[in-house]
Amino acid sequence: MAQLDTLDLIVLTILLIGTAAYFTKGTYWGVPKDPYAGSYSNANGAKASKSRNILEKMDETGKNCVIFYGSQTGTAEDYASRLAKEGSSRFGLKAMVADLEDYDYDNLDTFPDDKVAMFVLATYGEGEPTDNAVDFYEFVIGEDVSFSNGGAVEEKPLSSLKFVAFGLGNNTYEHYNSMVRRVTAALIKYGASKIGEAGEGDDGAGTMEEDFLAWKEPMWHELSEKMALEEREAVYEPVFGVTERADLNADDHEVYLGEPNKNHLEGTSKGPYNSHNPYIAPITESKEVFTVKDRNCLHMEIDISGSNLSYQTGDHVAVWPTNAGKEVDRFLDILGLGDKRHTVISVKGLDPTARVPFPTPTTYDAAVRYHIEICGVVSRQFVSSLAAFAPDESSKAEMTRLGNDKDYFQEQISSQYLNIAQVLERVNRSKSWTAVPFSIMIEGINKIQPRYYSISSSSFVQKNQISITAVVEKVRIPGADHIVKGVTTNYLLALKQKQHGDPNPDPHGLTYAITGPRNKYDGIHVPVHIRHSNFKLPSDPSKPIIMVGPGSGVAPFRGFIQERAAQAKAGQTVGKTILFFGCRKSSEDFLYKDEWDSFAADLGPSFSLITAFSREQPQKIYVQNRLRENATEVNSLLENQKANFYVCGDAANMAREVSVVLGQIISEQRGVSAEKAEEIVKHMRSSGQYQEDVWS
């Protein structure tokens, strides 16, 4: 037999390795990949989809229903999950939930007619899509939509697509529920068949949850008829399996104690920093800007040097909150998990499409403290689902009544702003609710969301330093025996107290793990990312601007004026700059009172500050009153110099009234009808001359 030369040996070795790989599928040397190790887009616990083809995914997993969501705060995602669970348990649907940004849409024209798609779409800001729905929205309403098989509008390329739609909006905004309305119209235009009415929930009226519940029942009825579904008795079917890990301790290096992904766990956090991957930023300065003891407003400076984060004047900073220790204890104790808080658990999706909302292994304490919105509003449907796990029959009856009786639920729960642990305590405080599966809490309560604050500094002046201005929320509810406290603002207040030397900060009786998981936030740090906004100064600084920002609504305008003052100081021509600011009293909550004089010195006569102190005279005066008093100048700047008009603050009352007053000013000053004036205001909005950064 001839001796093998070196080349023969190499070829033979490669063939042997290839054969082994084929038959063993890499079992002997394969290392399971941590789904949180590298992909920041999956830092919330979702494993990356192998395909962006939704139909392939549905076929692979045996699904006949996909529920897409476009969500900014987590509510639309929660509704999508609830529809999937209900469709499965009540009607036997094989449903999956899908993030719109995870899939392509050009193959919707091949969607089989024996499947159904649902769209749960929130409208963000002034009629904009949520961050994860931008690509989908631009595709489906675009001028030149190109589906996989071609097909012009008149050919109805989506004729095989059956869909259901529900929108989440706020009637205090002009473009109320525009996302669901525009998407529904576009899908129908291309031939898709809508099942039932497109539902619309109204956060502005405070009826979002009841709007959703009222919409889904007739929707299920019609869908059942269209798809020949049979209703059955609904029973709880867990989406997640929760396993206690006796082989791991909380101090083991692979256990997540609140870190959002693998790099944070290993102490090697790196960018890009975004809504899935926060930057742990140092707070370089914090101070009170109110001068009264019973109310707090914080000014903070957050350093983003070296992070590669950037912002533009008018953008938002997102702060990732931590739940208060008092509420974490309440939640764990009522479930009988207080003594097991540091027990390590693994959470796994029992369905291949289920997305675990946080990285595991973790502990009960870490999951509740950093990942679950335990202080959020409670849905009637969720309370009803917990009735089966009540500790006794009387508690079960009470939970059932709360779940079924809308008025009773409003009286006992909603009007009192109770969180889920408080609900369980109210129903039965003497017994722990140990039968409640932890999985149902993960499924039924939203993932904790970052809170967004208007940046109150100019990127032109301080590109590596972000200023925020936040009123600390603390509201006493009439008839309630507790005070509702803001999750994030009280967390920020605790950080401020710590920075100013308090060793054990406890704002309003709350304590926080302010040094973060494994002390990674020590030295006064906070997790943040930047969200870009369309709320912007004109590119030409000589263009006049009119700003209306009472209370903390002045935040972005501090940045605007800071920028214009710097431009004027540098010799640029700066146009008329008018700020309407309002608060209760000039001696209590006049934000940045000392700074305005400094800005005025730089801007000269181009700057005007017009104030409204509502409680310094018998009759209350607000910014809209001051706006009317200056009607002639306001109209002249808008009509003759095309000034930009900005409003920031409360959407439900102030912003709406300012819009009405502006319409009246235009009508009176230009001698046109109220209807014509309203059209002019609408055109100002659509053209970007009128911009709002408002909240409800």
Side-chain angles (χ1 to χ4, degrees):
M1 183 175 170
Q3 189 174 9
L4 294 172
D5 62 20
T6 303
L7 181 60
D8 292 330
L9 287 170
I10 292 171
V11 172
L12 183 60
T13 301
I14 292 171
L15 287 171
L16 287 170
I17 292 171
T19 304
Y22 178 81
F23 286 107
T24 66
K25 308 299 183 189
T27 301
Y28 297 124
W29 57 82
V31 178
K33 183 180 179 183
D34 186 331
Y36 311 104
S39 175
Y40 301 130
S41 64
N42 300 316
N44 66 348
K47 295 181 180 179
S49 173
K50 292 180 181 178
S51 170
R52 290 186 60 83
N53 185 322
I54 187 59
L55 298 178
E56 282 184 5
K57 187 71 172 178
M58 293 177 76
D59 288 341
E60 285 174 10
T61 54
K63 305 300 183 185
N64 60 0
C65 173
V66 58
I67 306 168
F68 292 106
Y69 66 84
S71 186
Q72 196 72 32
T73 64
T75 306
E77 182 179 1
D78 174 54
Y79 284 2
S81 298
R82 286 162 62 179
L83 288 171
K85 284 175 63 69
E86 188 171 358
S88 173
S89 62
R90 281 181 64 186
F91 301 98
L93 270 176
K94 304 299 182 185
M96 64 173 285
V97 174
D99 187 331
L100 277 168
E101 69 180 355
D102 287 346
Y103 296 95
D104 297 323
Y105 332 108
D106 58 348
N107 64 346
L108 286 177
D109 59 336
T110 63
F111 205 89
D113 60 7
D114 62 343
K115 301 184 191 302
V116 64
M118 297 187 182
F119 296 90
V120 184
L121 304 171
T123 298
Y124 165 64
E126 289 302 308
E128 301 158 31
T130 57
D131 291 347
N132 73 316
V134 171
D135 290 345
F136 166 73
Y137 177 70
E138 291 179 348
F139 174 84
V140 80
I141 70 160
E143 292 282 329
D144 302 311
V145 178
S146 178
F147 292 107
S148 59
N149 292 326
V153 175
E154 56 272 13
E155 297 176 68
K156 305 299 181 186
L158 299 185
S159 58
S160 65
L161 174 66
K162 293 196 287 284
F163 77 97
V164 166
F166 183 80
L168 297 82
N170 186 316
N171 71 7
T172 61
Y173 293 83
E174 181 183 2
H175 302 286
Y176 172 62
N177 261 312
S178 64
M179 265 294 287
V180 74
R181 293 178 182 181
R182 291 173 183 168
V183 168
T184 296
L187 294 176
I188 292 173
K189 180 176 74 173
Y190 287 104
S193 301
K194 178 168 62 72
I195 297 176
E197 294 298 317
E200 295 186 355
D202 187 1
D203 190 46
T207 58
M208 181 74 76
E209 176 68 17
E210 292 303 329
D211 293 338
F212 174 70
L213 296 179
W215 162 80
K216 70 180 182 65
E217 286 308 316
M219 180 277 294
W220 284 129
H221 176 75
E222 190 157 342
L223 183 64
S224 298
E225 291 186 345
K226 297 284 186 185
M227 296 189 68
L229 303 176
E230 291 187 11
E231 186 170 1
R232 60 192 186 187
E233 183 179 356
V235 294
Y236 173 62
E237 298 173 351
V239 174
F240 302 115
V242 180
T243 305
E244 295 185 354
R245 299 286 299 275
D247 60 318
L248 291 173
N249 294 313
D251 55 359
D252 288 344
H253 70 275
E254 68 263 45
V255 176
Y256 291 84
L257 297 182
E259 298 91 347
N261 58 42
K262 188 66 175 272
N263 283 336
H264 281 271
L265 177 68
E266 295 179 343
T268 57
S269 169
K270 59 184 179 180
Y273 297 108
N274 51 37
S275 59
H276 303 291
N277 182 44
Y279 174 60
I280 311 304
I283 296 174
T284 58
E285 180 188 346
S286 57
K287 63 181 180 181
E288 290 277 358
V289 282
F290 280 174
T291 57
V292 287
K293 292 183 179 180
D294 61 335
R295 297 163 62 215
N296 301 92
C297 183
L298 303 175
H299 174 91
M300 287 185 158
E301 295 288 338
I302 298 172
D303 189 355
I304 57 172
S305 302
S307 67
N308 283 327
L309 282 173
S310 64
Y311 77 99
Q312 293 181 324
T313 309
D315 281 345
H316 301 134
V317 61
V319 175
W320 292 46
T322 297
N323 282 314
K326 179 179 179 180
E327 295 303 332
V328 173
D329 293 345
R330 186 199 306 272
F331 185 91
L332 293 173
D333 288 345
I334 197 65
L335 296 180
L337 295 173
D339 294 337
K340 300 171 71 174
R341 65 191 313 141
H342 298 304
T343 297
V344 177
I345 57 172
S346 287
V347 181
K348 179 182 179 182
L350 300 180
D351 181 282
T353 65
R355 304 174 59 133
V356 180
F358 47 80
T360 72
T362 186
T363 64
Y364 287 115
D365 184 281
V368 173
R369 189 177 300 275
Y370 293 101
H371 298 297
I372 303 176
E373 192 77 80
I374 59 173
C375 294
V377 296
V378 181
S379 78
R380 188 158 57 89
Q381 186 177 11
F382 184 51
V383 168
S384 180
S385 70
L386 296 180
F389 307 105
D392 53 41
E393 288 301 316
S394 62
S395 301
K396 180 178 180 180
E398 178 67 4
M399 293 289 279
T400 301
R401 182 184 177 190
L402 286 168
N404 292 337
D405 189 330
K406 179 174 71 173
D407 295 334
Y408 186 60
F409 184 83
Q410 169 64 26
E411 174 192 326
Q412 296 293 317
I413 308 300
S414 296
S415 66
Q416 304 295 296
Y417 293 88
L418 300 183
N419 61 45
I420 188 59
Q422 290 171 323
V423 171
L424 300 184
E425 283 182 340
R426 175 165 291 198
V427 173
N428 192 329
R429 185 188 297 269
S430 63
K431 296 180 180 179
S432 294
W433 293 62
T434 54
V436 175
F438 195 67
S439 58
I440 202 172
M441 291 301 194
I442 300 172
E443 297 158 19
I445 304 176
N446 290 353
K447 183 181 187 297
I448 199 165
Q449 297 293 319
R451 271 50 167 187
Y452 294 95
Y453 298 91
S454 300
I455 294 175
S456 54
S457 56
S458 161
S459 57
F460 178 77
V461 176
Q462 49 182 76
K463 68 176 184 177
N464 291 322
Q465 200 93 340
I466 288 174
S467 303
I468 62 172
T469 309
V471 174
V472 179
E473 296 179 67
K474 181 188 65 169
V475 181
R476 181 171 293 280
I477 306 301
D481 56 3
H482 67 287
I483 297 173
V484 178
K485 308 175 185 76
V487 173
T488 308
T489 52
N490 281 280
Y491 169 50
L492 292 175
L493 180 55
L495 288 168
K496 179 259 178 187
Q497 291 175 348
K498 180 74 171 178
Q499 189 167 50
H500 286 259
D502 188 337
N504 300 298
D506 60 342
H508 305 124
L510 303 177
T511 58
Y512 293 85
I514 57 177
T515 60
R518 294 184 170 91
N519 294 319
K520 290 173 181 173
Y521 304 170
D522 201 12
I524 318 299
H525 287 69
V526 65
V528 300
H529 72 268
I530 305 299
R531 183 175 70 186
H532 296 294
S533 165
N534 294 322
F535 195 74
K536 292 286 180 282
L537 278 167
S539 56
D540 179 3
S542 68
K543 187 173 185 178
I545 61 172
I546 301 166
M547 300 162 286
V548 182
S552 60
V554 80
F557 302 138
R558 177 182 181 267
F560 283 16
I561 295 168
Q562 185 184 55
E563 182 155 320
R564 288 205 150 193
Q567 290 169 331
K569 201 171 183 180
Q572 296 186 52
T573 300
V574 174
K576 187 66 179 179
T577 302
I578 301 177
L579 171 63
F580 290 90
F581 171 76
C583 63
R584 294 181 183 179
K585 294 183 178 180
S586 58
S587 60
E588 293 183 358
D589 50 359
F590 190 173
L591 297 183
Y592 303 113
K593 179 179 181 179
D594 297 332
E595 293 188 13
W596 305 123
D597 288 341
S598 174
F599 292 143
D602 293 331
L603 286 164
S606 66
F607 177 63
S608 295
L609 172 63
I610 300 169
T611 56
F613 303 117
S614 63
R615 300 188 182 183
E616 289 193 351
Q617 59 284 311
Q619 185 176 358
K620 290 184 178 180
I621 296 177
Y622 299 108
V623 287
Q624 53 267 35
N625 303 119
R626 296 302 192 204
L627 191 66
R628 186 185 296 279
E629 291 170 6
N630 291 269
T632 302
E633 183 177 21
V634 166
N635 178 67
S636 176
L637 289 171
L638 292 174
E639 185 176 24
N640 302 324
Q641 299 186 47
K642 303 303 177 187
N644 275 12
F645 189 85
Y646 301 92
V647 181
C648 182
D650 166 46
N653 299 303
M654 181 276 299
R656 179 174 284 183
E657 290 179 21
V658 165
S659 182
V660 169
V661 168
L662 184 62
Q664 293 169 348
I665 288 172
I666 290 172
S667 175
E668 294 162 5
Q669 293 291 314
R670 302 184 193 180
V672 298
S673 67
E675 293 75 16
K676 178 63 176 177
E678 187 176 334
E679 285 180 22
I680 292 171
V681 172
K682 284 185 177 180
H683 181 263
M684 288 173 60
R685 291 178 183 273
S686 63
S687 67
Q689 187 183 4
Y690 188 140
Q691 299 180 34
E692 288 183 317
D693 182 4
V694 295
W695 56 85
S696 58

